[in-house]
Amino acid sequence: MSFDLVVWAMPPTAVPDAVHEANARCARGEHPQRPADPRVVAFYDALTSHYPDRGPRVAESASPWATVPLHTAADHIWMRLDEGCPDAVLETIERLAGDLDLNLLDLQDGSVYPPPVRIR
C-alpha cells in the first residue's frame, strides 16, 4: 500500500487549516496559474537529484515512488511513496521541507508539519 506526502509553499503565518484547504483545491483540480514558488522548485530539484521521478534513472534504481512522475504545481509537490520506501527518503523529504520553509502534509492522518521557527 502506498502513502502520500505533500509539501506546500505557504505564507509564514499559514495555519494547518489553510494547508488542508489548499490540498482540497488541488484534489478538485484547482491549481493557481502563477510562476512556481522558488521553494517548490528547489525542493523538487534537490529531491529528484537523489530519487529521480523521470527518465531512465527511475527504472535503473530502486525507486521510492509508487507513482511517477511526481505531481508538481506552482505551490506544491505531491509524492505517492511505495510502502517499502526507505527511511532515508522520508528523512530527506522532512529535511528539505524544513530547510526550504515548506509545510509538510501527511495525507494518511492529516498531520501538518510547519517549517521550523527560525530565530533571526
Side-chain angles (χ1 to χ4, degrees):
M1 180 177 198
S2 62
F3 62 100
D4 298 348
L5 297 174
V6 188
V7 292
W8 284 94
M10 304 290 286
T13 57
V15 295
D17 284 346
V19 175
H20 288 284
E21 289 168 13
N23 202 73
R25 285 190 300 276
C26 171
R28 292 190 302 267
E30 300 170 16
H31 295 93
Q33 298 302 311
R34 62 181 174 93
D37 188 293
R39 297 173 292 170
V40 171
V41 173
F43 177 89
Y44 179 82
D45 289 345
L47 183 64
T48 59
S49 72
H50 296 288
Y51 309 106
D53 70 327
R54 300 170 195 264
R57 287 184 53 206
V58 173
E60 293 170 3
S61 62
S63 175
W65 313 123
T67 303
V68 292
L70 302 180
H71 169 83
T72 59
D75 57 355
H76 67 281
I77 305 288
W78 190 322
M79 300 156 281
R80 178 157 289 155
L81 295 114
D82 185 73
E83 68 181 32
C85 173
D87 288 343
V89 177
L90 302 174
E91 291 165 2
T92 299
I93 292 169
E94 291 172 3
R95 179 183 51 77
L96 289 171
D99 289 350
L100 294 166
D101 294 325
L102 297 168
N103 286 272
L104 179 60
L105 171 60
D106 182 337
L107 291 180
Q108 285 54 244
D109 65 7
S111 296
V112 175
Y113 302 94
V117 175
R118 304 202 194 287
I119 299 173
R120 305 205 193 268

